[in-house]
Amino acid sequence: MFKDLNALIVVASKNLNVKEIEYLYKLGYHDFGENKVSSLLVKKNELKDLNINWHFIGNLQTNKVKDIINEVVCIHSIYKVSQVRLIEKYSNKIIPIFLEINYLKLPSRSGLEIDEVESFIEEIKKYKKIKIAGLMVIGAINNNLLTEEIFSNVSILNEKLGFNELSMGMSDDYEIALKYRGTTLRIGRKIREELPSLIL
Ligand SMILES: *Cc1c(COP(=O)(O)O)cnc(C)c1O
């Protein structure tokens, strides 16, 4: 079971319905991550009797920050000053965030390039409502060797910057993430193996 691993499991629940989430909650998973603001709000409302820690793990549009910021315990995908500025404006608490890294500089993905991270941290230092937990990165699809390079280098940078948490590892590469000291795994497809085939 994923929950027996020595890491925080954030269940990536975009393809799970509320019954499935409830089942996993009863198995002991209490952290769930959505990547769309509207889905998070709907599921959170339907599951409001459970004490779920909701995380936002997708690309957060600036104009949605105010809708989500007081509904989550953590945002995994910060890479723009405008996001931080709006957190500062609307959050009613200090919120842990991860800085998302676009290691391969893919135009199709969002995130900071490795050599932008330090100046970004400098730029957001003055904002008091955020606490940087660590870096977040997504591995390379179907390429374990490249994923090793990504996770290893992002982990080194994470430690150099003095962060305690590191959000990396999904269904296909969580073992590589653990090898490079990932502390927070975001698991979607593979957690289905812990669900019965029929949930009533
Ligand atoms: C869907 C998703 C995951 C989980 O991916 P799986 O391959 O299904 O484990 C992790 N992180 C983010 C940002 C996601 O959108």
Side-chain angles (χ1 to χ4, degrees), residues 12 14 35 57-58 136 138 170-172 186-190:
K14 57 178 173 282
N35 50 6
I57 63 176
M136 179 276 222
I138 293 178
M170 319 200 307
S171 293
D172 291 333
R186 305 176 316 273
I187 306 293
R189 282 166 299 134
K190 253 200 159 178

Side-chain angles (χ1 to χ4, degrees), residues 2 10-15 33-35 56-59 76-77 100 109 136-138 167 169-174 185-191:
F2 279 102
V10 176
V11 177
S13 50
K14 57 178 173 282
N15 294 318
E34 284 285 327
N35 50 6
F56 193 78
I57 63 176
N59 191 4
H76 289 240
S77 40
E100 182 167 0
R109 285 220 59 90
M136 179 276 222
V137 72
I138 293 178
S167 173
M170 319 200 307
S171 293
D172 291 333
D173 55 22
Y174 70 92
L185 311 178
R186 305 176 316 273
I187 306 293
R189 282 166 299 134
K190 253 200 159 178
I191 207 117

